[in-house]
Amino acid sequence: MNKKDCFFLGKIVKKYSFKGELLAKLDTDEPELYEDLDSVFVDLRGNLVPFFIESSQLHKSELLRIKFEDVETEADADSLLKSDLYLPLDFLPELEDDKFYFHEIIGFTVEDTSFGTVGTITGVNDSTAQSLFEIDRDGIEILIPMNDEFITKVDKPNKTIVVTTPEGLIDLYLED
């Protein structure tokens, strides 16, 4: 399994018990969707390794308490600390038409209601307080906040996102 075929589910943040249980911080608004998994992929030194789950339950609402098969001791658990967890993309629940996962909009065209065609989405920067569309316009990178007030329409079949941005925002990137 390759990372490109998976999505980041979360990170193992600490041990829970001396019996090998771990706590994972999930990167989701709906952690309850991932409470009954049979297995996950754990990133061990750059390789995705499948781990089967004996039991799991939500712990303090945002953490998932996991007991993996064959992880029986504190030492076993220590070896997994700070590891990233992944699931295959087909585990993602289907979203409503106007909602999207970041990975599925790569390659979409962005149209602005005033400006016209802005460019093609090459990525999403979610390391800032507000996530940003990273858009390529003939070699120039344009960043547009992924703000619900800006997003007018998400047209998945035609791979287009229509936005209405504040006047002058796009022009800032195009001035010499």
Side-chain angles (χ1 to χ4, degrees):
M1 183 65 65
N2 295 315
K3 274 190 191 172
K4 67 177 176 48
D5 302 320
C6 294
F7 67 95
F8 175 73
L9 177 63
K11 187 180 214 63
I12 297 173
V13 290
K14 60 184 177 183
K15 295 182 287 188
Y16 181 75
S17 71
F18 60 88
K19 295 179 184 164
E21 287 181 296
L22 293 155
L23 290 176
K25 176 139 182 54
L26 300 184
D27 183 31
T28 176
D29 296 333
E30 300 179 83
E32 61 281 355
L33 293 177
Y34 303 100
E35 211 172 351
D36 297 317
L37 296 172
D38 295 325
S39 63
V40 293
F41 288 98
V42 179
D43 185 345
L44 298 177
R45 294 173 296 289
N47 295 314
L48 293 185
V49 179
F51 274 76
F52 293 95
I53 297 172
E54 218 170 86
S55 65
S56 66
Q57 67 186 61
L58 286 179
H59 178 77
K60 296 183 180 166
S61 77
E62 77 218 23
L63 296 174
L64 186 66
R65 181 173 144 195
I66 303 174
K67 174 67 176 93
F68 289 121
E69 287 180 11
D70 302 323
V71 176
E72 305 297 336
T73 65
E74 277 193 84
D76 292 342
D78 277 334
S79 68
L80 298 174
L81 282 178
K82 303 209 180 340
S83 294
D84 290 339
L85 302 177
Y86 290 87
L87 282 174
L89 289 173
D90 54 11
F91 275 66
L92 284 171
E94 198 65 37
L95 293 178
E96 298 164 31
D97 290 340
D98 58 341
K99 305 258 188 277
F100 52 82
Y101 294 109
F102 292 172
H103 70 270
E104 71 180 325
I105 59 166
I106 306 299
F108 275 38
T109 300
V110 174
E111 303 272 345
D112 183 86
T113 51
S114 305
F115 183 87
T117 301
V118 180
T120 304
I121 297 174
T122 57
V124 172
N125 180 340
D126 62 353
S127 63
T128 57
Q130 183 170 36
S131 296
L132 302 166
F133 290 119
E134 295 174 343
I135 302 164
D136 176 61
R137 180 181 175 83
D138 304 322
I140 298 169
E141 184 180 57
I142 296 174
L143 302 174
I144 295 179
M146 293 175 63
N147 183 321
D148 286 344
E149 292 171 29
F150 292 176
I151 300 171
T152 309
K153 181 179 179 199
V154 177
D155 183 352
K156 290 181 184 177
N158 293 310
K159 296 186 178 254
T160 304
I161 294 179
V162 179
V163 296
T164 303
T165 58
E167 190 175 332
L169 176 71
I170 296 166
D171 294 325
L172 287 174
Y173 294 95
L174 303 177
E175 294 173 358
D176 292 331

